[in-house]
Amino acid sequence: MIIDGKQAAADLRVALANEVKALKESKGITPSLTVVLVGEDPASQVYVRNKAKQTMEVGMISNEIKMPADTSQTALLSQLALLNNDASIHGILVQLPLPKHIDESVVISAINPEKDVDGFHAMNSGRLLNGEAGALVPCTPQGCIILAKQHLGDDLSGQHAVVIGRSNIVGKPVALLLLQENCTVTIAHSRTKNLPEVCQQADILVAAVGRANFVQASWVKKGATVIDVGINRIEADSSEGKGSAKAKLVGDVDFDAVSEVCGAITPVPGGVGPMTIACLLKNTLEAAKLYG
Amino acid sequence: MIIDGKQAAADLRVALANEVKALKESKGITPSLTVVLVGEDPASQVYVRNKAKQTMEVGMISNEIKMPADTSQTALLSQLALLNNDASIHGILVQLPLPKHIDESVVISAINPEKDVDGFHAMNSGRLLNGEAGALVPCTPQGCIILAKQHLGDDLSGQHAVVIGRSNIVGKPVALLLLQENCTVTIAHSRTKNLPEVCQQADILVAAVGRANFVQASWVKKGATVIDVGINRIEADSSEGKGSAKAKLVGDVDFDAVSEVCGAITPVPGGVGPMTIACLLKNTLEAAKLYG
């Protein structure tokens, strides 16, 4: 089974649009998301445009603040202070990566945790770790759980989940969400010995390493659910006869071979990717409900 | 090998006493720890007395605030506000458990994270999760790592660590510390299937479940390092012939049988227990250095 992230994201957006409508009617609150983009990174511009489009589609207010690439850290922090104090704004997202002269960790910790819809602020990480109420949880990990449940149903209890990768953005938070779902969780990474054997135990295998086609079919248990978080740009096969090689997106999992073994798998593109923005909108609604 | 936690804690206190002395001489700062005890739980009174004694032994200022059992939550929060704002106090610890009419999570989140020497505040949990500077890390997990290194040396990289238990106080933070040490980490718990097989993979096995003699010898890989966090009070064997059965402390690990298989093990008592207060003093020094 191929898990259709595009469809799951569309379904989630429909549900969110209904909730947004209900919140407007019951409380008179329209959730509002502000995205701050510093500089002109082309990929970031595409992301920001998509975010704005989808934000409006679910009935929320979208606000884009674009600042020049040479914006000082102080100026960015001043901008964030204004947004933190603006009661009409429920979610603030600073598009990463930032220009090199700005310290991302300083910027992230300057966002009001109640508006930190990326879920990267230490207060939100800590609430996630401690299972406390009020956490805004990183978007991509939330998407992974939703997609795993598409195949396995809502009860993941007792499943052995193996997460490859231990980043703050994906690996660690997805491991904690799987633990919350009562999975036995193994976190593997570049220093792990016998990675194939460790992966072979996985009922749920989450790959978040950023290496194209890294996970091999021989590492995957028959019937496992495979969630591929990687988005790697590689040269397309030039045998197609077009003169210049084109770039092509692939995941961290050798999709064709692993598909033959696993029970379900998320494709790249069209798997976890589309869920990330949908979960960002979910967080914005959550922030408006919790703190608006 | 039996890992001597009493000796390791004494060694740590000697090192801390030297650091405290140096901090006094270089900066004129004497680290200061305030323990707040609400009510008259006998076990808590013993802990608090031991903390005070050891705090002074390493050259720090110890302050004990005792409040009656019927203290309101509001009154406790007011007391904490005073301590938060007192620049001469570097560490604040509210002794748990609190009387039932007080919400522990509200109290913990009311402590200034910079003085939260138990490391339970969400800001400290989040900094630990994200690997950010400035985290005050829970004491018992720190003790576990120090004891594992007594046997294995400083480099734990690539070891497979299995943690049984997922509490906020021990299981989850010790898993994160082991991950920081570049271990492959598996978190197991009551919903884990095939727990014996999962444990058999452990090069480092941490038991934090609170069930007397739970971990069996057949679950332990030959040569593994076993860290027993449990402190369980059981009836002593009455065959000793004394009329009334006495209570006796045992760990989560069947010590005698597991000792025959493992490479090293922490005893109960005298293993992880003594490390907890020593690491509390370490955190108090850390808070004074970072934020004093």
Side-chain angles (χ1 to χ4, degrees):
Chain A
M1 176 198 175
I2 293 177
I3 301 172
D4 185 344
K6 223 169 146 183
Q7 184 61 50
D11 293 346
L12 178 54
R13 287 195 303 270
V14 169
L16 291 172
N18 288 329
E19 285 199 65
V20 168
K21 195 158 166 274
L23 186 67
K24 281 184 201 176
E25 285 168 3
S26 65
K27 300 261 174 75
I29 295 173
T30 303
S32 162
L33 172 64
T34 295
V35 175
V36 180
L37 176 60
V38 182
E40 299 182 357
D41 179 66
S44 291
Q45 288 182 321
V46 173
Y47 293 140
V48 168
R49 209 177 308 135
N50 284 337
K51 283 171 188 169
K53 184 163 162 282
Q54 296 187 25
T55 303
M56 285 181 294
E57 275 172 12
V58 299
M60 299 186 187
I61 297 166
S62 166
N63 184 15
E64 281 178 56
I65 298 180
K66 295 184 177 172
M67 304 178 81
D70 64 354
T71 299
S72 71
Q73 181 167 311
T74 313
L76 178 56
L77 294 177
S78 302
Q79 178 63 64
L80 290 175
L82 291 174
L83 300 172
N84 284 341
N85 291 322
D86 183 338
S88 74
I89 290 170
H90 305 103
I92 301 170
L93 182 150
V94 177
Q95 183 66 43
L96 304 178
L98 287 165
K100 289 206 175 67
H101 65 280
I102 298 180
D103 183 337
E104 287 186 356
S105 67
V106 171
V107 171
I108 289 168
S109 56
I111 298 171
N112 180 344
E114 299 184 353
K115 301 187 178 190
D116 166 41
V117 284
D118 254 343
F120 296 161
H121 191 288
M123 267 306 287
N124 284 316
S125 310
R127 285 180 175 144
L128 170 61
L129 178 58
N130 293 344
E132 289 174 35
L136 295 170
V137 175
C139 303
T140 302
Q142 283 194 64
C144 294
I145 302 296
I146 294 170
L147 293 183
K149 288 184 173 179
Q150 293 271 319
H151 180 60
L152 294 166
D154 274 348
D155 184 9
L156 308 183
S157 177
Q159 304 268 343
H160 194 147
V162 175
V163 177
I164 322 174
R166 50 172 166 169
S167 72
N168 291 344
I169 294 177
V170 183
K172 285 187 282 187
V174 81
L176 289 172
L177 290 176
L178 289 160
L179 190 61
Q180 252 176 28
E181 298 286 343
N182 297 316
C183 294
T184 302
V185 179
T186 298
I187 308 170
H189 45 78
S190 57
R191 305 296 190 85
T192 293
K193 290 175 186 163
N194 309 318
L195 182 60
E197 285 86 341
V198 170
C199 292
Q200 279 156 11
Q201 301 177 43
D203 302 307
I204 300 171
L205 181 61
V206 180
V209 278
R211 292 175 62 179
N213 301 320
F214 179 63
V215 174
Q216 303 299 307
S218 62
W219 305 9
V220 176
K221 179 157 82 175
K222 198 168 161 47
T225 301
V226 178
I227 308 293
D228 187 350
V229 183
I231 299 181
N232 309 289
R233 197 172 294 269
I234 60 169
E235 299 286 292
D237 190 343
S238 57
S239 66
E240 288 169 19
K242 316 268 181 183
S244 62
K246 276 193 196 159
K248 159 182 168 187
L249 293 182
V250 299
D252 290 346
V253 176
D254 183 358
F255 183 86
D256 290 339
V258 169
S259 299
E260 303 287 316
V261 183
C262 69
I265 185 168
T266 63
V268 177
V272 175
M275 292 302 294
T276 298
I277 296 183
C279 289
L280 173 69
L281 305 177
K282 184 165 171 285
N283 277 351
T284 303
L285 173 64
E286 187 76 5
K289 284 205 263 185
L290 281 171
Y291 305 113
Chain B
M1 175 198 176
I2 294 178
I3 302 173
D4 186 345
K6 223 169 145 181
Q7 184 61 49
D11 293 347
L12 177 53
R13 287 197 302 272
V14 168
L16 291 173
N18 288 329
E19 284 198 66
V20 168
K21 194 157 168 274
L23 187 66
K24 282 184 201 178
E25 286 169 5
S26 65
K27 300 263 174 76
I29 295 172
T30 304
S32 163
L33 172 63
T34 295
V35 176
V36 180
L37 176 59
V38 182
E40 299 183 354
D41 180 67
S44 291
Q45 288 183 320
V46 173
Y47 293 140
V48 168
R49 207 178 309 137
N50 285 337
K51 283 171 187 169
K53 184 164 162 280
Q54 295 187 25
T55 303
M56 286 181 294
E57 276 173 11
V58 300
M60 299 185 188
I61 296 166
S62 165
N63 184 13
E64 280 176 59
I65 298 180
K66 295 183 179 173
M67 304 178 84
D70 64 354
T71 298
S72 70
Q73 181 168 310
T74 312
L76 177 55
L77 294 176
S78 303
Q79 179 63 63
L80 290 175
L82 290 174
L83 299 172
N84 283 339
N85 291 321
D86 182 340
S88 73
I89 292 171
H90 304 104
I92 301 170
L93 181 150
V94 177
Q95 182 67 43
L96 302 179
L98 287 166
K100 288 205 175 68
H101 66 280
I102 298 179
D103 184 338
E104 287 186 359
S105 67
V106 171
V107 171
I108 289 168
S109 56
I111 299 171
N112 179 345
E114 299 184 353
K115 301 187 179 191
D116 165 42
V117 284
D118 255 343
F120 295 161
H121 191 289
M123 267 306 287
N124 283 315
S125 309
R127 284 179 176 143
L128 170 61
L129 178 58
N130 294 344
E132 289 174 34
L136 294 169
V137 175
C139 303
T140 302
Q142 285 194 62
C144 294
I145 302 296
I146 294 171
L147 293 183
K149 288 184 172 179
Q150 292 270 318
H151 180 60
L152 294 167
D154 274 348
D155 184 9
L156 307 183
S157 176
Q159 304 269 341
H160 193 147
V162 175
V163 177
I164 321 174
R166 49 173 168 169
S167 71
N168 291 342
I169 294 176
V170 183
K172 285 187 281 189
V174 81
L176 289 171
L177 289 175
L178 288 160
L179 190 62
Q180 250 176 32
E181 298 287 344
N182 297 317
C183 295
T184 302
V185 178
T186 297
I187 308 172
H189 46 79
S190 56
R191 305 297 190 84
T192 293
K193 291 174 185 162
N194 309 319
L195 183 60
E197 286 84 342
V198 171
C199 292
Q200 280 156 11
Q201 301 176 42
D203 302 309
I204 300 171
L205 182 60
V206 180
V209 278
R211 292 175 64 177
N213 300 320
F214 179 64
V215 175
Q216 304 300 306
S218 61
W219 305 8
V220 176
K221 179 156 82 175
K222 199 169 159 47
T225 301
V226 178
I227 308 293
D228 187 350
V229 183
I231 301 182
N232 309 288
R233 197 172 294 271
I234 61 168
E235 299 285 290
D237 190 341
S238 59
S239 67
E240 288 169 18
K242 316 268 179 183
S244 63
K246 275 191 198 161
K248 163 183 165 185
L249 293 182
V250 300
D252 290 346
V253 177
D254 183 358
F255 184 86
D256 290 339
V258 169
S259 299
E260 304 287 317
V261 183
C262 70
I265 186 168
T266 63
V268 177
V272 174
M275 293 303 295
T276 298
I277 297 183
C279 289
L280 172 69
L281 304 177
K282 183 165 171 288
N283 277 352
T284 304
L285 173 63
E286 188 75 5
K289 284 205 262 183
L290 281 170
Y291 305 113

